[in-house]
Amino acid sequence: MKTREVHLVSRPRGWPEPADFALVERELPAPGDGEVLVRNRFMSVDPYMRGRMNDVKSYVPPFGLNEAMTGGAIGEVVESRSPGLEPGDLVLHDLGWREHAVAPAKRFRAVRPIDGVPPSAYLGVLGMPGLTAYVGLLDIAGLKEGDTVFVSGAAGAVGSLVGQIARLRGAARVIGSAGSDEKVAYLTDRLGFDAVNYRSGPVRRLLAEAAPDGIDVYFDNVGGDHLEAAIEAFNDHGRAAICGAISQYNATEPQATPRNLALVIGKRLTLRGFIVSDHSARFGDFVREVGGWLAEGRIEFDETVFEGLDHAVDAFLAMLRGRNTGKMIVRL
Amino acid sequence: MKTREVHLVSRPRGWPEPADFALVERELPAPGDGEVLVRNRFMSVDPYMRGRMNDVKSYVPPFGLNEAMTGGAIGEVVESRSPGLEPGDLVLHDLGWREHAVAPAKRFRAVRPIDGVPPSAYLGVLGMPGLTAYVGLLDIAGLKEGDTVFVSGAAGAVGSLVGQIARLRGAARVIGSAGSDEKVAYLTDRLGFDAVNYRSGPVRRLLAEAAPDGIDVYFDNVGGDHLEAAIEAFNDHGRAAICGAISQYNATEPQATPRNLALVIGKRLTLRGFIVSDHSARFGDFVREVGGWLAEGRIEFDETVFEGLDHAVDAFLAMLRGRNTGKMIVRL
């Protein structure tokens, strides 16, 4: 039986192009002793994957050339040669970018299907992006009741949750930034945020107008001029959780922002970077609290779905350009 | 009787010039009821004063034009019309930049002379710069035993103490940056730091060579390329206490550094600004601990002394250009 997977075939410089990837067909191996064969149903494309395409040491190792990339995926066990897993089990794992995965059973974590929630939620609201939002907002930025919160990439998988968790935890106001009028409408009408379209003017001015009394917390998915605008708008003792810098991932020159970093002194600001994988000990708290809100219908979550492995690269590139609302998912 | 004081007469743009100041002679008023007349013996010139010369709202209000500036000073009571203070008492206060001060008694805090320690120490090692070093290193950067510490402006009033407190509190190594070979020799021979002369090459390269295993704590007095170099050299979970940005105080354009701020994510860095006046509750702990080391002869402190109010502006300008080793003081 044949299966297909996506390889990285050249390291992008600047924006990745379709030619940097190849869809490769190969023979599907039979699972060995202790191994499991899984048919992937959904895979995730995430901003951090762009960093793994560079040949630089980072907190995750780079993708190898001419081999299948990896990433979050959810699938169904087809054949198991391990006692812990049965055909039909739903499993979460990191062997995305392929139609089937064959690997030792310990690579797969069985998850329960939840009524009314698609399995792909484990790649978003109940998965790594959800935990990122939760830990960044509560532990890194130290959200307090009454805070005014600014979040960039607010219509994305992480940002849309940041703002919702902030509201449920007592933030006075949430201001989200997104890159189109459609997304701004989604943020205001669907999620109840205040919102700015950062393509409609300088972020500094837009934020100053949206938050005349300043902001207390900034959740940064974007870096660059958004971080600069947040520093400008911060009240004393403001805290930024620095989660991503998607505005810079495809930059070929170092980015010379923020230009106002000296304000951290007079305003007593804290800027703190974090990586979700350091915080897996919080997964239980996260699932209890956010899973509870989800069951009560108090959390909105949306997905932008591309169909088929043939369009996985398109989904990844579209996500980098901000074409998704909510979590970008590929259905396999 | 006449007395003299220094006025700010025009707001500097970029580097201050002597013509921005005037030495003004005026009649010394007699102290009213509840007031005290003090003859100043020493006054302080500090980097933060540069910010007060601009007409911008900051954490301290700007100096007024055509009136005496203020700043740390230590003097002796000449005449007291308040029961709490006696002629001959040594008092610490903020009415510097003048030969005599006349003000309500509550503006003056009596301090004890210490054997073997000049009264000017209350403007440095036992005063605001000392508390700044103590709080920034321990509370803001969270120094831990075994840390490698980098400090800029290391031969200055704050920096020289930061490194010494770090060593006494169990840092594995202290690397100081200063702007001349004489200061580097002072840091290595006198204070036992490792040291780099930042004028001898790019700070990034110098620091990488001096700290091949990276740094854990950075105490920033300088900003700009020093902060960028520290971000580059940080180990995971590095912490920066952002205390000053003297490299930028006289800049007329926004400074486009650091260019590598996105590293805060992968390295999980914390950058935190602070102002010493928020931390006066720590003054008792500070005096106990640092005063104890001082009494035991375990802390070196040095002063660069200019003589007379006629040279106070020269002292201030020389301090901004890094001409001092240890605390810059004006003896009146």
Side-chain angles (χ1 to χ4, degrees):
Chain A
M1 185 186 157
K2 300 281 187 194
T3 187
R4 298 186 305 165
E5 55 193 32
V6 178
H7 291 195
L8 181 70
V9 296
S10 58
R11 300 202 179 278
R13 184 166 159 78
W15 286 92
E17 292 178 16
D20 294 322
F21 306 91
L23 186 61
V24 173
E25 189 177 78
R26 67 179 190 109
E27 195 63 34
L28 181 66
D33 201 37
E35 289 192 332
V36 177
L37 164 62
V38 168
R39 190 179 84 70
N40 281 336
R41 293 182 52 194
F42 298 95
M43 60 165 269
S44 184
V45 290
D46 297 285
Y48 79 89
M49 293 171 174
R50 175 62 187 87
R52 299 193 63 186
M53 293 171 186
N54 297 332
D55 190 18
V56 289
K57 216 182 68 176
S58 176
Y59 57 96
V60 282
F63 290 131
L65 283 182
N66 302 308
E67 58 187 52
M69 294 186 290
T70 56
I74 195 145
E76 213 174 277
V77 174
V78 173
E79 185 183 344
S80 172
R81 298 195 54 195
S82 168
L85 290 170
E86 299 290 321
D89 282 356
L90 198 63
V91 289
L92 181 62
H93 61 99
D94 76 331
L95 295 167
W97 292 101
R98 67 198 80 192
E99 290 172 330
H100 297 85
V102 177
K106 64 172 198 287
R107 292 286 288 265
F108 303 95
R109 193 175 73 173
V111 293
R112 287 182 308 112
I114 306 176
D115 278 353
V117 178
S120 52
Y122 282 107
L123 302 178
V125 63
L126 284 180
M128 185 267 284
L131 182 61
T132 301
Y134 187 81
V135 162
L137 183 68
L138 303 183
D139 299 349
I140 304 297
L143 176 78
K144 294 197 296 272
E145 258 184 58
D147 279 346
T148 293
V149 174
F150 177 49
V151 53
S152 55
V158 173
S160 60
L161 262 171
V162 166
Q164 292 184 82
I165 296 171
R167 283 167 55 89
L168 288 162
R169 278 288 198 112
R173 279 186 73 200
V174 171
I175 299 155
S177 162
S180 72
D181 290 342
E182 291 68 31
K183 286 184 183 178
V184 164
Y186 167 76
L187 294 179
T188 53
D189 302 349
R190 194 69 193 281
L191 303 185
F193 303 173
D194 294 302
V196 298
N197 178 349
Y198 66 81
R199 295 191 210 269
S200 71
V203 188
R204 266 165 98 132
R205 178 172 61 71
L206 296 170
L207 181 58
E209 288 167 3
D213 296 324
I215 63 170
D216 304 296
V217 161
Y218 173 48
F219 192 107
D220 190 13
N221 289 307
V222 165
D225 56 355
H226 275 80
L227 180 55
E228 185 169 290
I231 290 173
E232 199 72 23
F234 263 133
N235 294 322
D236 285 353
H237 307 288
R239 293 94 60 202
I242 316 279
C243 176
I246 200 168
S247 72
Q248 300 179 25
Y249 290 170
N250 299 300
T252 50
E253 294 298 319
Q255 298 296 294
T257 48
R259 289 160 294 191
N260 56 356
L261 196 64
L263 291 177
V264 300
I265 302 168
K267 294 188 179 190
R268 301 85 149 168
L269 306 181
T270 300
L271 313 183
R272 200 167 159 209
F274 74 106
I275 295 174
V276 65
S277 54
D278 290 344
H279 300 272
S280 47
R282 288 282 269 161
F283 198 78
D285 298 329
F286 155 67
V287 167
R288 257 189 306 281
E289 189 161 8
V290 176
W293 287 327
L294 206 58
E296 295 165 12
R298 300 174 73 190
I299 294 256
E300 300 280 346
F301 71 99
D302 289 87
E303 296 177 342
T304 299
V305 181
F306 277 51
E307 297 288 340
L309 195 64
D310 314 69
H311 294 110
V313 168
D314 299 337
F316 175 71
L317 298 177
M319 179 275 303
L320 284 183
R321 295 191 186 273
R323 305 271 193 269
N324 54 308
T325 297
K327 180 74 184 91
M328 181 69 98
I329 293 284
V330 182
R331 192 195 324 261
L332 300 175
Chain B
M1 185 186 157
K2 300 279 187 195
T3 187
R4 298 186 304 164
E5 56 193 33
V6 178
H7 291 195
L8 181 70
V9 296
S10 59
R11 301 203 178 277
R13 183 165 159 81
W15 286 91
E17 292 177 18
D20 294 322
F21 307 91
L23 187 60
V24 174
E25 190 177 77
R26 68 179 190 108
E27 196 62 34
L28 181 64
D33 202 35
E35 289 192 330
V36 177
L37 164 63
V38 168
R39 192 180 80 70
N40 282 336
R41 294 182 52 196
F42 299 95
M43 62 164 268
S44 184
V45 289
D46 298 284
Y48 80 89
M49 293 171 174
R50 175 63 188 86
R52 297 193 63 186
M53 294 170 187
N54 298 332
D55 190 19
V56 290
K57 214 183 70 177
S58 176
Y59 58 96
V60 282
F63 291 131
L65 283 182
N66 302 308
E67 58 186 54
M69 294 186 290
T70 57
I74 194 145
E76 216 173 275
V77 174
V78 174
E79 185 183 345
S80 174
R81 298 196 53 194
S82 169
L85 289 169
E86 300 290 319
D89 282 355
L90 198 63
V91 289
L92 180 64
H93 61 99
D94 76 332
L95 295 167
W97 292 101
R98 65 198 81 189
E99 290 172 331
H100 297 85
V102 177
K106 66 173 197 286
R107 290 287 287 267
F108 303 96
R109 194 174 70 173
V111 293
R112 288 182 308 113
I114 306 175
D115 278 352
V117 178
S120 54
Y122 282 108
L123 302 178
V125 62
L126 284 179
M128 187 267 284
L131 182 62
T132 302
Y134 188 82
V135 161
L137 184 67
L138 303 182
D139 299 349
I140 304 298
L143 177 77
K144 294 197 295 271
E145 259 184 59
D147 278 347
T148 293
V149 174
F150 177 49
V151 53
S152 55
V158 174
S160 59
L161 262 171
V162 166
Q164 292 184 83
I165 295 171
R167 283 167 54 89
L168 287 161
R169 278 290 197 111
R173 279 185 74 199
V174 171
I175 299 155
S177 163
S180 72
D181 290 341
E182 291 68 31
K183 287 184 183 178
V184 164
Y186 167 76
L187 295 179
T188 54
D189 303 351
R190 193 70 195 280
L191 303 185
F193 303 173
D194 295 302
V196 298
N197 178 348
Y198 67 80
R199 293 192 212 269
S200 70
V203 188
R204 266 166 99 131
R205 179 173 60 72
L206 297 170
L207 182 58
E209 288 166 3
D213 297 325
I215 63 170
D216 305 297
V217 162
Y218 173 49
F219 192 108
D220 191 11
N221 290 306
V222 165
D225 55 357
H226 275 80
L227 179 56
E228 185 169 290
I231 290 172
E232 197 73 24
F234 262 133
N235 294 321
D236 286 353
H237 306 289
R239 292 93 61 203
I242 316 279
C243 176
I246 200 170
S247 71
Q248 301 179 23
Y249 289 170
N250 298 301
T252 49
E253 294 298 318
Q255 298 297 292
T257 50
R259 289 161 294 191
N260 56 358
L261 195 65
L263 291 178
V264 302
I265 303 168
K267 295 188 178 189
R268 299 86 148 170
L269 305 182
T270 301
L271 313 183
R272 201 168 157 208
F274 75 106
I275 295 173
V276 65
S277 53
D278 289 344
H279 300 272
S280 47
R282 287 282 269 161
F283 197 79
D285 298 328
F286 156 67
V287 166
R288 258 188 305 282
E289 189 162 8
V290 175
W293 288 326
L294 206 57
E296 295 165 12
R298 300 173 74 190
I299 294 255
E300 301 278 348
F301 71 100
D302 288 87
E303 296 177 343
T304 299
V305 181
F306 278 49
E307 297 289 339
L309 194 65
D310 314 71
H311 295 110
V313 168
D314 300 337
F316 175 70
L317 298 177
M319 179 275 303
L320 283 183
R321 294 191 187 273
R323 305 270 193 269
N324 54 307
T325 298
K327 181 73 184 93
M328 182 69 98
I329 292 285
V330 181
R331 193 193 325 260
L332 298 175

